[in-house]
Amino acid sequence: MCGIVGYIGKRDAYPVLIKGLKRLEYRGYDSAGVALISNSGELHVYKAKGKVSDLEQFVADKDVSGNIGIAHTRWATHGEPNSTNAHPHISSSGNLSIIHNGIIENYSTIKRQLQDKGVEFKSETDTEVLVQLIEYVQSSQQVDLLTAVRLALREVIGAYAFALLDKNNPDQIIAARQSSPLVIGVGKDEFFLGSDASPIIEYTDRVVYLDNQDIAVITRGKEEVEFCNFNNERLEHEVQTVELNLGQIEKGGFPHFMLKEIFEQPRCLQDSMRGRVNIDVNHVVLSAVIDYRRQLINARRFIIVACGTSWHAGLIGKQLIECLCQIPVEVEYASEFRYSNPVIDSRDVVIAISQSGETADTLAAIELAKSRGAFIYGMCNAVGSSIARATHTGSYLHVGPEIGVASTKAFTGQVTVLTMLALAIGKARGTINNADYEKVVSELSKIPEKQTKLLECNDHVRDIARIFTYARNFIYLGRGYNYPVALEGALKLKEISYIHAEGYPAAEMKHGPIALIDDEMPVVVVATQNVLYDKVMSNIQELKARHARVIAIVTEGDTRVKDLADEYVEVPQTIECLEPLLSTIPLQLLAYHIAVCKRKDVDQPRNLAKSVTVE
Ligand code: M6R
């Protein structure tokens, strides 16, 4: 979590940094800060608790001159969110300032050692330890700053992407990366730094992604960034062209990114299928399945590792792969898997699902699986992300940047890619017959059109949301492919409206949760017309007998559930394994409208951040 930005060049740095922070604010918004070296050589550091807009207000009457600077938006880990713990942090001499994303695991040991040597600390953060250590090494060993950084980093255990300013060298920024993302934008006579490319793309599309243990020296006037590792060996990095445009990271007339992203889903799914689903011959091609056919079709077992919404997509993936490929699938929370002792070897394929491609637990799960010889397939949205680079192969979602903290289009993108993967492997293994294969491919290609039609329910869902805004608890039920949809609906509601919500397989109610039901409990039931329809009908009857308020998601034209439910939303008919791509959408809208009615900060809910780069 945390977003970092840097600039060195001819422009005024402050506007570039503030705009960059706003683009990265999805990563954390507990506090923000900026450090600038003014044209007269002063180091100015301004920090404020709260959002980037609070920082802007605080800085309004201050000196923000200078064309070199660094800035940070924080998701607190060590020390409460206040202006003292906000970044940038300053070394004792006042010469060095640092911004950091990640966690220094051994910070308390280093802090004690430095305190024993007389170094005084102002904040409770792990980051301050980093800047104090670098300065201590520099002064005690009488070395230049780059050498001090290299030597200091040998002592540090943990994750970091940081940028360092030295008041005595206003022509240079030193940056480094270990397990946290960092991108450098290469402009003409100027350089930009960002946790991702979003603060950079307005100025240049030429970027360099740092690898673990890279140290970058960015010097004004040079054409290239210099890279070395901890042993001072020079490294070469290719400048890449980033394919991201401003429109993709702006709200485009919607009041919130979340709503924009919900409405983008038909287009996103088309993008995700482009070049992969050929509707003329009803065929799916995934390059990874061609390039790594042997590993994928002969897998003894798939293990899906993911967190949060991506884990829910994984549960759907399990059903798809087991059904279409006849290969057993396990779905693990990456945070549990990484500390387990899994029985896993080279016959297993691990599928790592992550929108951001930066989730620390998922990355660690990959490393564990890799160390045991498993083949790793990545499913990320963020191109060039750490997870994308840590896997043997994979398929990008291609749904465009997702900025709202609540994941929406990435979820349906993940389910789409999982469907294509299951189809491609099933076809190659001969575990799906031609007729079924063509039927699923053909129906998959029609989903965007059906989603467009479904999105017309937005006003109706808003009206339902108004009725239930009062609720303190919600239950979400579904079965089969719609059970993960129920989990996902509950997660959406929890994270943006702060209403307690639980998702269950509908038939599990009678084993305990049904005790919660009374006339104040809204129950959202996904009751579409599939093989389990009659069973779910019975579950609804059980709920109504106990006076629950039922909001049903039904197939267009349904009459039986409609008669029983208090409220209903119709979704277009599709084949069962593709239902989540439709039934999820009303649940996304319901959570969105309830949160709006409750006046919550939809895109930046409390305590959360978009990419969870700490464990
Ligand atoms: O970037 P990832 O897909 O790895 O993120 C995993 C979760 O942190 C994420 O899905 C989270 O649960 C979302 N906020 C849910 O909307």
Side-chain angles (χ1 to χ4, degrees):
M1 354 269 259
C2 300
I4 69 177
V5 203
Y7 176 76
I8 178 167
K10 291 181 175 157
R11 300 169 199 258
D12 283 341
Y14 180 72
V16 176
L17 297 173
I18 286 292
K19 209 183 243 187
L21 283 188
K22 286 185 178 162
R23 299 243 161 87
L24 290 176
E25 208 167 13
Y26 71 88
R27 301 178 67 88
Y29 29 83
D30 290 331
S31 62
V34 59
L36 298 151
I37 302 177
S38 73
N39 299 337
S40 55
E42 298 291 312
L43 176 68
H44 290 132
V45 178
Y46 306 117
K47 315 200 270 191
K49 181 180 170 184
K51 299 200 169 187
V52 178
S53 53
D54 297 302
L55 174 69
E56 272 185 296
Q57 270 179 28
F58 176 70
V59 169
D61 55 352
K62 312 272 191 307
D63 177 0
V64 289
S65 65
N67 41 34
I68 175 169
I70 54 178
H72 187 270
T73 179
R74 179 171 188 242
W75 186 82
T77 57
H78 296 65
E80 67 171 276
N82 58 29
S83 58
T84 310
N85 289 329
H87 302 211
H89 290 283
I90 310 296
S91 63
S92 296
S93 70
N95 289 335
L96 304 182
S97 66
I98 199 166
I99 50 170
H100 163 227
N101 169 32
I103 286 187
I104 308 303
E105 303 279 356
N106 59 340
Y107 85 102
S108 51
T109 314
I110 299 175
K111 187 170 184 174
R112 250 191 329 270
Q113 289 165 353
L114 291 171
Q115 282 169 327
D116 288 347
K117 292 184 168 117
V119 178
E120 285 181 18
F121 286 80
K122 296 191 188 70
S123 76
E124 302 157 273
T125 65
D126 52 335
T127 303
E128 191 182 355
V129 169
L130 204 50
V131 70
Q132 298 287 23
L133 176 65
I134 293 169
E135 180 163 275
Y136 180 78
V137 172
Q138 190 183 19
S139 62
S140 62
Q141 302 195 25
Q142 292 292 302
V143 289
D144 62 32
L145 187 58
L146 176 59
T147 309
V149 168
R150 282 197 301 103
L151 298 179
L153 289 183
R154 290 187 187 170
E155 310 294 315
V156 168
I157 300 169
Y160 49 79
F162 71 75
L164 185 69
L165 273 192
D166 180 359
K167 184 179 155 187
N168 296 323
N169 188 355
D171 293 322
Q172 199 164 77
I173 297 176
I174 294 182
R177 170 204 158 120
Q178 173 64 45
S179 305
S180 294
L182 194 55
V183 191
I184 297 176
V186 182
K188 190 167 166 6
D189 301 325
E190 58 185 354
F191 297 98
F192 305 83
L193 263 172
S195 294
D196 65 31
S198 62
I200 297 171
I201 52 162
E202 191 166 340
Y203 312 101
T204 177
D205 61 357
R206 300 179 67 232
V207 299
V208 179
Y209 292 97
L210 271 72
D211 284 332
N212 283 342
Q213 308 209 338
D214 278 359
I215 301 173
V217 180
I218 309 164
T219 310
R220 194 195 303 280
K222 292 211 172 169
E223 274 184 19
E224 288 175 3
V225 179
E226 292 159 305
F227 293 97
C228 65
N229 60 18
F230 296 177
N231 300 323
N232 205 19
E233 289 156 346
R234 225 186 128 89
L235 305 167
E236 296 297 331
H237 279 309
E238 205 184 312
V239 177
Q240 301 183 23
T241 305
V242 70
E243 285 173 20
L244 195 63
N245 61 55
L246 271 185
Q248 289 175 301
I249 55 170
E250 284 171 352
K251 285 190 196 145
F254 285 89
H256 298 99
F257 280 111
M258 183 180 175
L259 191 63
K260 175 188 175 225
E261 288 158 6
I262 292 172
F263 270 83
E264 275 176 347
Q265 287 175 104
R267 190 184 48 71
C268 290
L269 265 50
Q270 270 167 350
D271 290 345
S272 190
M273 288 188 262
R274 184 159 298 120
R276 293 164 165 178
V277 173
N278 183 339
I279 48 167
D280 295 333
V281 286
N282 283 333
H283 188 49
V284 168
V285 180
L286 274 187
S287 56
V289 180
I290 296 172
D291 298 343
Y292 294 92
R293 183 183 160 93
R294 184 180 54 79
Q295 289 88 339
L296 294 170
I297 73 165
N298 295 321
R300 168 182 68 165
R301 174 178 60 156
F302 282 98
I303 302 169
I304 297 179
V305 293
C307 303
T309 288
S310 301
W311 185 80
H312 296 156
L315 293 176
I316 296 169
K318 171 183 165 72
Q319 298 186 51
L320 284 161
I321 295 170
E322 289 187 340
C323 173
L324 303 181
C325 313
Q326 300 291 298
I327 298 173
V329 183
E330 289 168 21
V331 187
E332 302 276 353
Y333 283 118
S335 54
E336 289 296 311
F337 182 85
R338 66 179 290 187
Y339 289 115
S340 64
N341 189 6
V343 182
I344 175 173
D345 62 31
S346 57
R347 291 166 296 173
D348 296 310
V349 172
V350 166
I351 303 180
I353 308 179
S354 174
Q355 186 286 129
S356 62
E358 300 296 345
T359 300
D361 285 324
T362 310
L363 206 45
I366 290 171
E367 295 309 334
L368 173 63
K370 249 192 195 170
S371 73
R372 308 228 165 161
F375 183 77
I376 320 287
Y377 185 104
M379 218 172 261
C380 298
N381 192 33
V383 175
S385 55
S386 303
I387 292 176
R389 289 185 291 149
T391 48
H392 294 115
T393 187
S395 306
Y396 282 116
L397 307 184
H398 292 315
V399 298
E402 190 180 67
I403 311 243
V405 164
S407 188
T408 52
K409 63 179 183 173
F411 176 73
T412 45
Q414 288 161 346
V415 174
T416 302
V417 175
L418 283 161
T419 309
M420 293 189 285
L421 181 67
L423 283 165
I425 296 176
K427 174 82 172 156
R429 280 170 59 82
T431 46
I432 176 170
N433 67 48
N434 282 345
D436 287 346
Y437 173 80
E438 286 179 16
K439 188 171 160 201
V440 181
V441 178
S442 158
E443 189 58 26
L444 182 63
S445 70
K446 293 181 190 139
I447 292 291
E449 199 184 319
K450 294 188 178 186
Q451 287 183 332
T452 303
K453 182 160 178 250
L454 171 58
L455 283 162
E456 289 169 13
C457 73
N458 184 38
D459 289 349
H460 174 51
V461 177
R462 189 189 53 216
D463 294 341
I464 298 175
R466 286 183 179 146
I467 304 171
F468 291 97
T469 300
Y470 72 89
R472 293 171 61 86
N473 298 286
F474 258 85
I475 287 178
Y476 285 71
L477 302 177
R479 296 186 75 162
Y481 283 98
N482 283 316
Y483 161 52
V485 171
L487 295 179
E488 176 59 8
L491 176 61
K492 288 292 85 90
L493 188 71
K494 276 184 267 207
E495 68 178 330
I496 59 170
S497 71
Y498 319 148
I499 295 174
H500 171 244
E502 298 284 349
Y504 292 104
E508 272 299 299
M509 285 297 285
K510 57 186 172 294
H511 298 291
I514 202 160
L516 296 167
I517 301 298
D518 60 20
D519 58 4
E520 287 186 7
M521 178 67 87
V523 185
V524 178
V525 191
V526 186
T528 43
Q529 279 168 356
N530 55 38
V531 286
L532 289 165
Y533 176 71
D534 285 329
K535 306 283 176 199
V536 177
M537 272 289 294
S538 307
N539 299 138
I540 295 176
Q541 261 145 353
E542 290 156 13
L543 292 166
K544 284 312 294 176
R546 287 153 184 92
H547 311 292
R549 310 279 306 278
V550 171
I551 305 159
I553 309 303
V554 300
T555 305
E556 248 169 25
D558 180 285
T559 50
R560 290 167 64 203
V561 177
K562 272 189 205 165
D563 287 347
L564 274 179
D566 297 83
E567 308 292 337
Y568 65 87
V569 183
E570 289 186 320
V571 296
Q573 201 277 329
T574 187
I575 51 180
E576 188 172 355
C577 67
L578 302 181
E579 280 185 356
L581 294 171
L582 300 173
S583 53
T584 304
I585 288 179
L587 306 194
Q588 295 170 342
L589 288 170
L590 184 67
Y592 171 78
H593 287 298
I594 291 180
V596 171
C597 289
K598 290 176 75 82
R599 299 181 189 284
K600 301 299 180 201
D601 191 341
V602 172
D603 284 334
Q604 295 178 348
R606 72 183 179 203
N607 304 339
L608 290 172
K610 184 70 180 161
S611 61
V612 185
T613 55
V614 296
E615 66 168 295

